[in-house]
Amino acid sequence: MDKKWEYNGFGIPDDYFVRGKAPMTKEEVRAVVLGKLRLKEDHIFVDVGAGTGSVSIEAALKLSKGKVYAIEYKEEALNLLAVNGKAFGVENLEILKGRAEEELKKITYFDRVFVGGSGGEIHWIIDYALEHLSEEGRIVVTAVTLETLTEAFKALKTKEFKDVEVVSVSVSKGRSTGNYTLMEAQNNIYVLSATKR
């Protein structure tokens, strides 16, 4: 079934995507991530650890003259990525099957990179991004654990990135229970962003 999203803002509702058990950047966090990326319509964008493809697809819809590379190695996520990409009709999305350290080497120049899952390769990914991002290129990293947050933050601060920022995003959503609405907290997400010097 085709999906149409005709709005300019970020944060396509989660239920527009086929989910399965693969990780997905939820709509409220996705809106923050895409805002921090500062996309232009002709950018080349890389999504590392693309999961269901929610960030890749939203970016592809914005990059009318650009290109999106979605890197993922887990089979279920790859299938969901393909299904979601087809459902939204994005033609500027290329799916790369494999680990970041293998697949990123196929892309020698890009303007923006998002790391939603690093598979333990965060230092290598940040080093590669620093070397291959365009001038004033942007990197955004999400972390759910303090260890990933610490590693990524330290790497961005000690390398040639500027305007290093970390934002903690806490989202609670209302859930109906009878005549009442309970607020259910989702996992806290750290969003790191920086610009290449």
Side-chain angles (χ1 to χ4, degrees):
M1 184 172 133
D2 291 342
K3 304 280 185 177
K4 299 294 180 198
W5 187 252
E6 300 170 353
Y7 305 101
N8 286 324
F10 292 123
I12 295 173
D14 290 343
D15 59 11
Y16 270 57
F17 297 93
V18 179
R19 300 267 308 270
K21 294 180 181 176
M24 183 173 90
T25 303
K26 306 295 190 302
E27 65 187 273
E28 293 83 6
V29 175
R30 196 178 334 119
V32 173
V33 165
L34 289 159
K36 296 294 181 186
L37 283 165
R38 301 175 190 165
L39 300 171
K40 292 183 180 177
E41 63 180 6
D42 61 347
H43 276 160
I44 297 170
F45 170 66
V46 181
D47 183 357
V48 178
T52 59
S54 63
V55 172
S56 294
I57 288 164
E58 281 219 47
L61 292 170
K62 295 293 181 191
L63 303 180
S64 56
K65 298 176 184 175
K67 174 93 175 179
V68 174
Y69 294 95
I71 298 174
E72 181 57 64
Y73 72 93
K74 295 178 181 172
E75 280 301 325
E76 182 182 6
L78 284 160
N79 293 333
L80 291 168
L81 245 169
V83 166
N84 284 317
K86 185 176 179 183
F88 279 90
V90 290
E91 297 179 0
N92 56 344
L93 171 65
E94 183 174 337
I95 299 169
L96 301 177
K97 179 183 179 181
R99 306 281 304 192
E101 198 165 344
E102 304 160 5
E103 300 304 314
L104 259 176
K105 290 176 184 174
K106 299 175 182 176
I107 313 163
T108 56
Y109 177 89
F110 44 92
D111 301 291
R112 301 291 187 264
V113 60
F114 169 60
V115 185
S118 64
E121 300 173 345
I122 192 66
H123 289 284
W124 186 91
I125 293 166
I126 290 172
D127 286 343
Y128 192 85
L130 182 61
E131 190 176 337
H132 296 276
L133 273 168
S134 60
E135 187 178 341
E136 296 293 312
R138 298 268 300 163
I139 182 170
V140 174
V141 179
T142 52
V144 294
T145 68
L146 293 174
E147 289 78 10
T148 303
L149 168 65
T150 304
E151 285 184 47
F153 188 67
K154 185 175 180 182
L156 291 171
K157 291 285 278 187
T158 57
K159 300 186 187 295
E160 294 178 38
F161 285 97
K162 63 181 182 179
D163 304 325
V164 178
E165 178 185 47
V166 60
V167 175
S168 174
V169 180
S170 302
V171 177
S172 294
K173 294 187 104 167
R175 178 177 61 85
S176 292
T177 154
N179 295 327
Y180 299 95
T181 302
L182 296 176
M183 296 304 292
E184 281 191 341
Q186 297 181 0
N187 287 340
N188 195 60
I189 307 290
Y190 301 99
V191 180
L192 299 101
S193 58
T195 304
K196 181 177 174 179
R197 289 188 189 275

